[in-house]
Amino acid sequence: MHTSKTKIGRRAFIKNTSLAGGGLVLGFSWIISCKNTSKQSGKALPKDWVEVNGYIKIAENGLVTIMSPNPEGGQNVKTSMPMIVADELDVDWRDVIVEQAPLNADAFRFQWLGGSQSIRRGWEGLRLAGATARHMLIEAAAKEWQVPFNEITTKGGVVSHKQSNKSAIYGELAAAAAQMQVPEEVQVKSIDDFQIIGTSKKNVDGLKIVTGQPLFGMDTHREGMLIAMIVHPPAFGLKLKSVDDTKARQMPGIKDIFTINVFNDDYEKAFFDTRTFNEVAVVVGNSTWEVMNAKKALKIECEPIESSTETRDRFGRKWEEHTPAGLESTDEHFALMGARAAEPGEVRRKDGDPERAFKNAANIIEASYTAPFLAHNCMEPMNFFADVTEDRAELVGPLQKPDLTEQTLSARLGMPIDKIDIQMTRLGGGYGRRSYAHWLVEAALISKKIKAPIKLIYTREDDMTDGIYRPSYQAKFRAGLDADNNLIAFHVKTGGIPQSPLAQNRFPAGAVANYLAEDWTIDTNLTVGSFRAPSSNFMASAEQSFLDEVAEAASKDPIEFRLELLGRAKADPVGENNDYDPDRYAGVLKLVREKSNWDTTNKNLHRGVSAYFCHNSYAAHVLDMVIQDGKPMVEKVTCAVDCGIVVNPDAATNLAEGGIVDGIGNALYGELTFKEGVPQKSNFDTYRMIRMAEAPKEIEVHFVDSDMAPTGLGEPTFPPIFAAVANALYKAKGERFYHQPYIKYLS
Amino acid sequence: MATFNLNINGATHEVDVDPTTPLLWVLRDHLNMVGTKYGCGIAQCGACTVHLGDVATRSCMLTVSSVGNQKITTIEGLSENGNHPVQKAWLEVDVPQCGYCQAGQIMTASALLKNNSNPTDEEIEMAMNGNICRCGTYTRIKKAIKTAANSENV
């Protein structure tokens, strides 16, 4: 056992409330002195949101309720976060009931879904929550039995003192434990003593999901609730001018039609307050079908926006966001990116003398990659329930950054946060889209205006055409080999509309003596934002495709080539601030080589390898492709992941599988194009999503055995699979594919 | 508006709605049976799948007036306590991630197994191809269908 201080500090609070019936509620808040370990400069990770908490209720009969603090969107934290608390509390998992914790920015910190951070940032606090409650239960027993604290043991929710032959279940001691002082220091388990962590536990919401019980925001229902929908301009670059509701207003079931401004003109938008169509028309009525019909009958007239610059706030850091006027098209975007890429970029990192090295190189390999805008396409369209009066607001629905959205809403309504109650429902997918909760603000404004509880629903078409998209990107790579096929120079120049995806300190930085990383951006009036593994989802696809091509030019096995470079980065790292651990990176490559039997050959199998480090975890894939009737089919993906300790192995495997399938789908089919500002796809008839027949026949996930604190898993398997697809396609088709989605080469 | 008597999960429900209303919204808005999900509204994603008789049907494009006396089964009525072999297999394989599409997946899978108790991989893929899972649980869905097919009393 090692001792860990609970570090109750300035912001901590202790709330011991006895429940009726003698139960115990323990609420804790700890500040954990984590450094900001994220080196992804430019990412929206503030330095000090690292407090975490557990919430424990113990009933007299020994049942324990553990609150899961973070939003659940399929990453399975509602099971795995309480597992961590339960293990340290030392209870039988079968006695645990899990509840979604309320949003409470004072009690809980980082109640977010995003950045693969729930488990990583929750780890220490959740352990302390369990260990502290266990400590207080033991103290209560020591006091009651008049025996030394250190002689008392716990197991499976039972406190025992062997010498006096006394024992009690937690429920019997809970009321007394609640009276104990919260200790400043508690012991947490040694990793070898974990009973629950590291074992597979089923999804705590499984039965509700398979029996169709209400779980999602879309399922919210209240007596007297009305349905609301928005109508937004049909093209980015346009704004509402007028609304003709003559016909729509007469339609059955329609209560009201009006417009709202999501944000006030003088409001300084925070990082997640992204919204292009600030003014939208709203239709409110009795039922979804009636509102859908009236929405179609509504006539709106639009006018062009003017270009604008506004100051925005990224956790205290200001930046100027420029929004150009105009109706943008995809063809023009790619022409602009091509032209911009030919000009010098902003130099972000330079090691050695890259230009000289390229001059001396025996062989130079060059390639350029692009990727389109992507829509998130969560299966549950954006929605929120709102019941807002002059002096209070109740909001129910799915969102990823509830505390930030609460601040935004507080500012918009001019209502203090303690009058706002946001309840988190299970998310029918998030992938970044639900970090930008403008629809919650819209729902609140609609409810307040119409003076009734409402549920705002985006149709699938609204969801897809009023998105916060993954940016479109371009990257150009150059690699220089010497006469002995050693990589002596590496140059990446990349950019995007409107964000750069560059992570200049990532591999192969640190492994090449002469290295240059540059980037650039192009403004747009399309709204963009986080999409599963932001930036990495493109950089991994381009870089790992390119390394495959360089390995081939160097006549080296692609895994061996990467391992050589990682060996260099380990033995004699170039430069500073390399953001990866070469041993762990090499570890997943070696594991995937072994598990996929990489070294055996099968001429019918076209194999692609790819590996990447992002969101604090390492992932490597080997993808096996076959050609059936001229069509590429993914036979199998073998995956190796190093994310430290794996809390819930089967659920972690599921999440890794999901990242792989989602990545294959987006690599092959994902694309949203624009013509004069109009999204060219608005539903699943044209936006191709991966379906069962196109998914791998088999996925094998292997985790590196580790005793390191857990890191994230929602994102890390996603970025590298794109290049595994591209590299396997190259083996199958004999040509390199540089532009996503790859389907355009295959039809 | 018109009155319809719908036979849902073994009980008769009377609703007074616009005859063009899709069954999906009758279930969700008028009967508060929200297990059947809205995903696309154009029969492309399968989240709204119910059984019409024994046939998996997209309820988002099925008008209430076209249902007539046909027996409707929704996810809520597939079994008493979630003990249909397909639901049990789903729990055993721990299929869901976000879970939003899973009711539709289960309804399509249970209709498949009713007609074909031992489907091949290709038959499963063909039957399930109308159901999108954005989280990417397809390999587990397939495994759960095989698990259910191998269990008794499908």
Side-chain angles (χ1 to χ4, degrees):
Chain A
M1 304 261 273
H2 81 270
T3 301
S4 183
K5 291 193 174 179
T6 54
K7 291 176 186 153
I8 293 167
R10 188 169 50 84
R11 290 181 60 100
F13 85 115
I14 302 150
K15 191 168 63 183
N16 294 338
T17 316
S18 281
L19 287 174
L24 160 69
V25 180
L26 292 171
F28 305 106
S29 177
W30 289 276
I31 294 174
I32 299 175
S33 59
C34 291
K35 293 198 296 270
N36 178 18
T37 51
S38 167
K39 288 177 184 157
Q40 300 160 32
S41 56
K43 292 281 169 56
L45 299 180
K47 287 212 167 71
D48 56 0
W49 28 256
V50 286
E51 294 172 50
V52 190
N53 1 41
Y55 230 45
I56 299 165
K57 287 191 277 185
I58 300 174
E60 268 188 325
N61 64 2
L63 280 182
V64 177
T65 297
I66 300 177
M67 297 289 194
S68 183
N70 288 25
E72 170 65 71
Q75 69 299 37
N76 206 42
V77 290
K78 197 172 171 185
T79 306
S80 50
M81 291 183 105
M83 281 172 69
I84 300 167
V85 179
D87 206 329
E88 290 290 351
L89 181 60
D90 208 3
V91 287
D92 191 325
W93 182 248
R94 287 169 298 189
D95 291 334
V96 173
I97 297 162
V98 174
E99 283 179 19
Q100 178 70 56
L103 170 63
N104 186 337
D106 290 326
F108 300 98
R109 303 300 293 169
F110 198 71
Q111 282 185 285
W112 289 9
L113 190 178
S116 300
Q117 295 300 305
S118 297
I119 293 293
R120 175 173 172 261
R121 291 188 178 272
W123 176 245
E124 195 169 341
L126 293 163
R127 292 182 74 189
L128 284 171
T132 303
R134 175 179 170 273
H135 183 104
M136 291 162 76
L137 288 157
I138 294 174
E139 277 200 327
K143 192 175 167 193
E144 193 172 316
W145 299 338
Q146 292 295 302
V147 299
F149 179 94
N150 289 335
E151 287 180 11
I152 295 175
T153 58
T154 62
K155 194 178 179 190
V158 178
V159 186
S160 305
H161 184 248
K162 202 176 170 187
Q163 289 84 340
S164 64
N165 204 25
K166 286 194 160 81
S167 73
I169 63 165
Y170 283 1
E172 295 173 84
L173 293 163
Q179 305 307 315
M180 296 292 144
Q181 275 226 314
V182 175
E184 284 187 15
E185 212 170 76
V186 293
Q187 286 190 308
V188 294
K189 281 184 174 177
S190 116
I191 286 163
D192 298 334
D193 293 334
F194 286 151
Q195 298 286 316
I196 297 171
I197 295 166
T199 65
S200 292
K201 302 296 180 209
K202 305 284 189 202
N203 187 330
V204 294
D205 278 340
L207 186 64
K208 286 184 179 168
I209 292 169
V210 305
T211 54
Q213 293 174 50
L215 272 174
F216 299 93
M218 282 289 273
D219 304 340
T220 309
H221 181 82
R222 295 286 169 86
E223 240 3 84
M225 179 182 85
L226 299 172
I227 300 293
M229 291 190 185
I230 61 148
V231 177
H232 62 86
F236 289 88
L238 295 180
K239 61 180 179 181
L240 273 189
K241 186 180 175 194
S242 64
V243 177
D244 175 3
D245 63 9
T246 322
K247 187 175 169 206
R249 196 171 273 282
Q250 303 305 317
M251 293 176 68
I254 298 309
K255 291 283 184 188
D256 204 353
I257 295 171
F258 48 87
T259 65
I260 54 169
N261 285 314
V262 183
F263 298 112
N264 287 328
D265 286 346
D266 58 352
Y267 173 66
E268 186 179 272
K269 287 182 195 162
F271 186 73
F272 291 107
D273 291 335
T274 302
R275 189 149 197 27
T276 285
F277 305 122
N278 192 52
E279 187 182 23
V280 290
V282 176
V283 182
V284 187
N286 290 331
S287 71
T288 309
W289 185 243
E290 288 167 325
V291 175
M292 274 182 174
N293 286 329
K295 183 168 141 62
K296 285 178 200 150
L298 198 70
K299 292 191 181 112
I300 61 167
E301 196 185 340
C302 294
E303 60 187 345
I305 61 165
E306 287 159 16
S307 69
S308 62
T309 301
E310 64 179 324
T311 304
R312 290 187 62 181
D313 178 275
R314 175 187 278 165
F315 306 105
R317 276 198 297 135
K318 309 290 178 192
W319 93 96
E320 299 291 309
E321 184 179 64
H322 182 60
T323 306
L327 300 174
E328 302 178 19
S329 298
T330 298
D331 290 350
E332 166 199 77
H333 282 152
F334 282 109
L336 277 171
M337 288 201 288
R340 183 64 190 84
E343 294 167 28
E346 195 75 37
V347 174
R348 303 294 180 185
R349 175 166 169 162
K350 188 175 178 180
D351 298 324
D353 188 345
E355 284 319 307
R356 188 157 159 244
F358 277 113
K359 268 186 203 138
N360 295 335
N363 187 8
I364 294 176
I365 303 101
E366 276 188 44
S368 183
Y369 301 81
T370 62
F373 290 94
L374 296 175
H376 291 82
N377 296 337
C378 303
M379 290 310 294
E380 179 193 17
M382 301 305 116
N383 69 89
F384 233 86
F385 169 85
D387 186 4
V388 178
T389 61
E390 284 301 320
D391 56 3
R392 51 160 281 283
E394 184 193 3
L395 291 308
V396 184
L399 77 176
Q400 289 183 233
K401 305 281 185 329
D403 60 330
L404 300 183
T405 307
E406 190 175 53
Q407 291 168 23
T408 300
L409 183 66
S410 169
R412 181 63 181 86
L413 296 177
M415 187 183 279
I417 278 178
D418 62 6
K419 302 291 182 200
I420 298 173
D421 174 21
I422 297 181
Q423 295 157 35
M424 296 177 268
T425 54
R426 192 178 183 88
L427 287 75
Y431 322 104
R433 179 63 181 91
R434 284 188 231 269
S435 292
Y436 306 85
H438 51 83
W439 16 265
L440 179 151
V441 178
E442 292 156 20
L445 294 172
I446 295 165
S447 172
K448 191 177 171 188
K449 163 112 182 160
I450 198 141
K451 296 186 169 57
I454 63 106
K455 182 164 64 179
L456 171 68
I457 298 173
Y458 275 33
T459 61
R460 173 57 58 194
E461 289 79 7
D462 291 330
D463 188 283
M464 206 178 285
T465 60
D466 188 358
I468 307 277
Y469 307 109
R470 198 286 298 264
S472 186
Y473 296 119
Q474 199 260 15
K476 195 173 174 188
F477 290 89
R478 276 195 301 160
L481 299 171
D482 68 11
D484 296 326
N485 282 330
N486 296 306
L487 181 64
I488 56 166
F490 193 88
H491 177 199
V492 53
K493 185 154 88 176
T494 186
I497 303 175
Q499 294 167 355
S500 158
L502 181 66
Q504 65 269 26
N505 296 322
R506 288 223 178 120
F507 183 77
V512 194
N514 305 289
Y515 173 88
L516 177 64
E518 308 174 71
D519 69 357
W520 46 265
T521 60
I522 293 170
D523 290 331
T524 180
N525 58 38
L526 306 183
T527 39
V528 302
S530 302
F531 184 108
R532 195 175 202 167
S535 303
S536 302
N537 57 40
F538 172 68
M539 281 318 287
S541 71
E543 170 208 295
Q544 290 291 309
S545 297
F546 184 63
L547 287 182
D548 204 67
E549 194 166 342
V550 178
E552 188 187 32
S555 308
K556 288 176 184 171
D557 171 82
I559 293 182
E560 206 45 54
F561 177 64
R562 287 169 173 82
L563 290 175
E564 257 177 42
L565 291 172
L566 288 162
R568 163 76 203 270
K570 160 87 174 166
D572 182 18
V574 180
E576 289 173 358
N577 300 323
N578 300 320
D579 77 351
Y580 58 96
D581 177 337
D583 281 338
R584 295 182 76 184
Y585 206 134
V588 291
L589 277 163
K590 287 175 187 166
L591 184 61
V592 85
R593 179 171 65 183
E594 176 204 328
K595 297 295 182 185
S596 68
N597 297 312
W598 176 258
D599 298 324
T600 63
T601 51
N602 174 346
K603 64 180 169 52
N604 295 322
L605 223 47
H606 311 290
R607 317 193 85 182
V609 65
S610 174
Y612 205 65
F613 164 71
C614 66
H615 296 89
N616 316 101
S617 297
Y618 302 78
H621 305 301
V622 167
L623 183 144
D624 297 338
M625 192 177 274
V626 294
I627 301 292
Q628 272 174 11
D629 308 325
K631 264 175 67 181
M633 305 294 288
V634 181
E635 199 64 24
K636 182 175 177 180
V637 174
T638 311
C639 162
V641 180
D642 182 351
C643 58
I645 293 166
V646 179
V647 176
N648 190 354
D650 189 49
T653 300
N654 196 352
L655 194 52
E657 291 165 354
I660 289 164
V661 174
D662 186 13
I664 293 172
N666 276 294
L668 287 171
Y669 315 120
E671 180 181 47
L672 188 62
T673 57
F674 295 84
K675 202 169 177 185
E676 300 198 332
V678 181
Q680 295 300 291
K681 296 171 186 172
S682 62
N683 207 322
F684 297 133
D685 53 343
T686 46
Y687 200 113
R688 187 164 173 188
M689 308 284 284
I690 190 167
R691 290 170 186 267
M692 184 186 274
E694 297 141 353
K697 305 293 171 221
E698 189 186 352
I699 303 174
E700 223 179 77
V701 179
H702 301 275
F703 292 99
V704 171
D705 217 0
S706 174
D707 58 5
M708 297 186 76
T711 51
L713 197 55
E715 283 153 311
T717 65
F718 180 69
I721 196 70
F722 287 68
V725 172
N727 296 339
L729 276 171
Y730 168 66
K731 291 287 177 58
K733 299 294 222 181
E735 58 174 316
R736 297 267 175 199
F737 298 155
Y738 299 105
H739 307 290
Q740 293 168 34
Y742 304 128
I743 187 68
K744 60 177 124 192
Y745 299 98
L746 304 170
S747 34
Chain B
M1 293 292 185
T3 302
F4 298 94
N5 286 299
L6 300 171
N7 179 349
I8 305 170
N9 300 331
T12 303
H13 295 265
E14 188 185 297
V15 291
D16 185 24
V17 296
D18 171 352
T20 67
T21 310
L23 177 64
L24 169 68
W25 297 114
V26 173
L27 293 170
R28 293 187 59 86
D29 280 357
H30 302 275
L31 299 170
N32 196 25
M33 297 170 75
V34 294
T36 306
K37 301 301 189 212
Y38 166 66
C40 68
I42 57 166
Q44 290 291 315
C45 79
C48 66
T49 305
V50 298
H51 295 175
L52 199 59
D54 286 341
V55 181
T57 306
R58 312 298 180 222
S59 66
C60 71
M61 290 193 82
L62 178 71
T63 58
V64 65
S65 59
S66 64
V67 173
N69 298 323
Q70 296 176 87
K71 224 176 74 185
I72 299 158
T73 308
T74 70
I75 187 74
E76 291 94 341
L78 188 62
S79 66
E80 281 275 325
N81 306 304
N83 55 5
H84 185 282
V86 171
Q87 289 168 314
K88 286 190 341 202
W90 240 252
L91 292 173
E92 190 185 322
V93 178
D94 215 9
V95 173
Q97 287 185 37
C98 88
Y100 192 80
C101 75
Q102 298 295 347
Q105 305 275 4
I106 289 169
M107 295 311 284
T108 306
S110 53
L112 163 69
L113 292 180
K114 209 163 209 174
N115 297 320
N116 179 355
S117 62
N118 194 17
T120 63
D121 278 23
E122 289 68 29
E123 286 167 338
I124 293 173
E125 285 168 13
M126 197 175 290
M128 301 304 295
N129 228 37
N131 288 73
I132 296 173
C133 173
R134 170 70 174 83
C135 298
T137 63
Y138 295 122
T139 51
R140 285 184 184 237
I141 291 171
K142 198 187 280 181
K143 189 174 168 192
I145 292 171
K146 289 181 181 175
T147 303
N150 290 326
S151 71
E152 293 166 28
N153 307 320
V154 179

Short mmCIF file of all heavy atoms in Angstrom, two decimals, chain A residues 12 232 419 499:
data_model
loop_
_atom_site.label_atom_id
_atom_site.label_comp_id
_atom_site.label_asym_id
_atom_site.label_seq_id
_atom_site.Cartn_x
_atom_site.Cartn_y
_atom_site.Cartn_z
N ALA A 12 -11.99 22.67 -1.56
CA ALA A 12 -12.61 21.41 -1.16
C ALA A 12 -13.78 21.67 -0.23
O ALA A 12 -13.83 22.68 0.46
CB ALA A 12 -11.59 20.53 -0.48
N HIS A 232 -32.79 27.13 -39.99
CA HIS A 232 -31.59 27.95 -40.12
C HIS A 232 -31.37 28.26 -41.60
O HIS A 232 -31.92 27.59 -42.47
CB HIS A 232 -30.38 27.22 -39.52
CG HIS A 232 -30.05 25.94 -40.20
ND1 HIS A 232 -29.24 25.87 -41.31
CD2 HIS A 232 -30.42 24.65 -39.96
CE1 HIS A 232 -29.13 24.61 -41.71
NE2 HIS A 232 -29.84 23.86 -40.91
N LYS A 419 -29.51 29.08 -9.98
CA LYS A 419 -30.92 28.96 -10.40
C LYS A 419 -31.05 28.06 -11.63
O LYS A 419 -32.14 27.85 -12.16
CB LYS A 419 -31.50 30.35 -10.75
CG LYS A 419 -31.43 31.35 -9.62
CD LYS A 419 -32.37 30.97 -8.51
CE LYS A 419 -32.32 32.01 -7.40
NZ LYS A 419 -32.84 31.48 -6.12
N GLN A 499 -8.22 25.46 -39.24
CA GLN A 499 -7.26 25.15 -38.18
C GLN A 499 -6.10 24.32 -38.72
O GLN A 499 -6.28 23.53 -39.63
CB GLN A 499 -7.94 24.33 -37.05
CG GLN A 499 -9.00 25.11 -36.30
CD GLN A 499 -9.86 24.22 -35.41
OE1 GLN A 499 -9.73 23.00 -35.43
NE2 GLN A 499 -10.75 24.84 -34.66
#
